[in-house]
Amino acid sequence: MPTVIFQLPDGTERKVTAASGTALMQAAVSNGVPGIVAECGGNASCATCHVYVDAAQSGLAGPPNDVEDEMLDFTAAERRPTSRLSCQIHLSDALDGLVVHVPEEQV
Amino acid sequence: MSPLTTAAPGAPVVDLDLADLRRDPYPAYAELRRTAPLAWVPSVGRHLLTRYEDIVQAEKLPEVFSSLEEGSLLLRTVGPNMLREDDPNHRRLRSAAEPPTRPRQVRDLWAASFERTAHEVLERIAGRGEADLIADFAEPLVAANLALVLGLRTASAEDIADWSRAMMAGNSNYADDPDVWLRAERATRAIEGAVAEVAEAARREPDGSVISSMVHADGPVELAEIQNNVKVIIGGGVNEPRDVFGVGAWALLNRPGVLDRVLKDPASWKRVFEETARWVSPIGMYPRQLTQEYEIAGVTLPAGSRVALVIASGNRDEAVFERADEFDIDRPHRPHLAFGGGPHFCMGAWVARHEVSAIAWPLVFSRLKGLRLAEGATASDSDSAAGRMDGWVFRGLTSLNVTWQAA
Ligand code: FES
């Protein structure tokens, strides 16, 4: 099972382990990671599950899909080249050790 | 699972008068959150779930808290529709209807027309020096915008607003008034006719609208499905943005200091929007029906139990929002529940945010010089009890009379 690390705005971090196939958003929400609001439950329509993939790993998670790319223009915190919607990232062994940063604001 | 129309064993029973709820539901909600966060309310025929955390928990479990509620007023008013469906059928319909309401489409496809319409509607009243901003501005504006996004080219803004009112009344017809049903039925017939006509045209010539998007969806969508879902969208699509506009404008007109700051920092209109939706949620509650036994708020609900997620109450929960009854655009940010959560997250959220906070408010407050509440329209002791707000299933200002210096 892959493990991912959420870096929180207050400087602390949360390690979360979840089954392959789980959406990163889901892994965060089920483990009570603060700052991942996920209002729409993973349907890429709310933009409140925004994360920044660690710059050193941007290749690992890949680029956003089309619908996601559109929503990323409307996140509460600024969009950066490493921005993704965590509901559109699905965990796999290849993502083991992924580090993502949770933005200050989601809505 | 057929619906249970009685209290779950062990659930507290609380009598609430529907007329009191309409006038001001917030004191009753505060009491429920304190003493009976899950309570059977006989006049509503449902368990009311009133605490923020419990509502969020229920929203995250759509397979337990099903949207497929039997005998719901909404089903009776408009027929089967995506609001009263679970995935995968809900998802099929939502995916078909949603693309024109996504934020980039709103910006690229609709914003310019929204803006033009807002100027036109405002010009009609600008020289008068007084108006009811609900009836004379907000409602015609959002109805026209909705007709555009839906693709209902043959319907006037007035048609849309009338249909919406008639269906909304049906959808909250807990008193079972036969006249209300009759009006709702007339409206839904008219919508069915209008949609059939437009759908036919959109089949030949796609126009980016919701109806067109449903006609051309990957998975097949029947005409009746398009008709029913357009009804639901007309139902919610007028009153929600209209009511956020009205309540927010009213809150600011009662708080000149806050208004001043907002006018100097236009980026804060967004915060005004979210705080208004939290403070007086245009949709106060929505129903769910349990697919299995489940314990929540200290009560074990049997399968088939009917529950109302009272998001208006969750949005005033002191455990989450300090001084929750106050309108405060500077409050520490916690997500509100006004758009609902999970797969049914409000499809019109991006349209409403744009038309109200990017267009309607800034325009009204910059164009109408010296805008203020008309005599007798200022807040009395408490904002929500001032007598100009009405409703608990849906809540908003019934009128907003203002004056300004007509140049
Ligand atoms: S959960 Fe709503 S966009 Fe990801």
Side-chain angles (χ1 to χ4, degrees), chain B residues 277-299:
Chain B
R278 180 203 70 82
W279 187 52
V280 179
S281 317
I283 293 191
M285 73 89 165
Y286 45 87
R288 292 290 183 258
Q289 185 173 313
L290 266 74
T291 56
Q292 61 184 69
E293 185 180 287
Y294 189 78
E295 193 198 317
I296 192 158
V299 177

Side-chain angles (χ1 to χ4, degrees), chain B residues 149-379:
Chain B
V149 174
L150 284 171
L152 280 176
R153 273 168 284 118
T154 53
S156 69
E158 225 170 15
D159 291 335
I160 300 271
D162 285 347
W163 294 338
S164 179
R165 250 193 305 275
M167 289 189 297
M168 279 287 136
N171 192 26
S172 50
N173 191 11
Y174 284 86
D176 208 16
D177 180 338
D179 282 348
V180 170
W181 288 128
L182 198 69
R183 268 204 304 138
E185 212 176 294
R186 263 192 230 122
T188 55
R189 286 288 125 73
I191 297 171
E192 283 165 14
V195 172
E197 202 185 320
V198 169
E200 192 46 44
R203 202 172 297 283
R204 294 187 302 268
E205 225 179 297
D207 61 7
S209 70
V210 169
I211 291 173
S212 175
S213 171
M214 292 188 92
V215 167
H216 295 281
D218 290 341
V221 180
E222 308 276 330
L223 177 62
E225 291 178 314
I226 302 179
Q227 288 166 321
N228 287 354
N229 286 295
V230 166
K231 290 178 210 164
V232 169
I233 297 170
I234 292 177
V238 175
N239 77 305
E240 294 160 28
R242 178 198 66 204
D243 291 349
V244 172
F245 172 89
V247 171
W250 192 59
L252 291 177
L253 289 168
N254 274 311
R255 292 165 182 76
V258 182
L259 174 59
D260 224 46
R261 280 176 42 214
V262 172
L263 291 176
K264 285 187 188 120
D265 172 24
S268 56
W269 283 117
K270 278 187 180 160
R271 287 210 307 280
V272 176
F273 185 96
E274 303 304 327
E275 173 63 353
T276 304
R278 180 203 70 82
W279 187 52
V280 179
S281 317
I283 293 191
M285 73 89 165
Y286 45 87
R288 292 290 183 258
Q289 185 173 313
L290 266 74
T291 56
Q292 61 184 69
E293 185 180 287
Y294 189 78
E295 193 198 317
I296 192 158
V299 177
T300 302
L301 294 168
S305 293
R306 285 150 57 104
V307 176
L309 307 189
V310 189
I311 54 178
S313 171
N315 280 339
R316 296 275 188 115
D317 191 335
E318 292 280 355
V320 178
F321 303 101
E322 258 179 61
R323 299 166 291 100
D325 287 333
E326 285 172 33
F327 175 87
D328 175 9
I329 62 168
D330 301 314
R331 64 175 58 256
H333 189 73
R334 288 293 309 263
H336 63 70
L337 308 175
F339 288 132
H344 292 274
F345 175 75
C346 176
M347 202 179 93
W350 298 98
V351 173
R353 280 176 171 142
H354 194 81
E355 67 184 343
V356 175
S357 69
I359 298 175
W361 280 332
L363 178 65
V364 161
F365 282 99
S366 66
R367 174 77 176 76
L368 303 178
K369 300 293 173 217
L371 186 68
R372 57 194 187 88
L373 293 168
E375 224 42 56
T378 43

Side-chain angles (χ1 to χ4, degrees), chain A residues 26 29 37-48 66-71 73-75 79 105-107, chain B residues 60 87 90-91 94 98-99 102-105 107 274 333 335-337 339-346 350 353:
Chain A
Q26 202 55 56
V29 168
V37 176
E39 280 176 331
C40 76
N43 289 308
S45 38
C46 71
T48 63
D66 284 353
V67 171
E68 180 185 355
D69 177 58
E70 158 172 4
M71 294 307 298
D73 281 350
F74 298 88
T75 51
R79 177 177 186 167
E105 274 187 310
Q106 291 288 9
V107 186
Chain B
K60 289 207 174 111
D87 288 350
H90 159 264
R91 180 102 300 263
R94 166 101 182 212
E98 187 177 40
R102 301 184 70 87
R104 191 178 286 167
Q105 296 302 99
R107 187 186 62 195
E274 303 304 327
H333 189 73
H336 63 70
L337 308 175
F339 288 132
H344 292 274
F345 175 75
C346 176
W350 298 98
R353 280 176 171 142

Side-chain angles (χ1 to χ4, degrees), chain A residues 46-83:
Chain A
C46 71
T48 63
C49 65
H50 181 202
V51 293
Y52 302 116
V53 173
D54 197 77
Q57 296 180 323
S58 53
L60 208 55
N65 61 48
D66 284 353
V67 171
E68 180 185 355
D69 177 58
E70 158 172 4
M71 294 307 298
L72 285 169
D73 281 350
F74 298 88
T75 51
E78 57 155 353
R79 177 177 186 167
R80 297 182 197 153
T82 55
S83 284

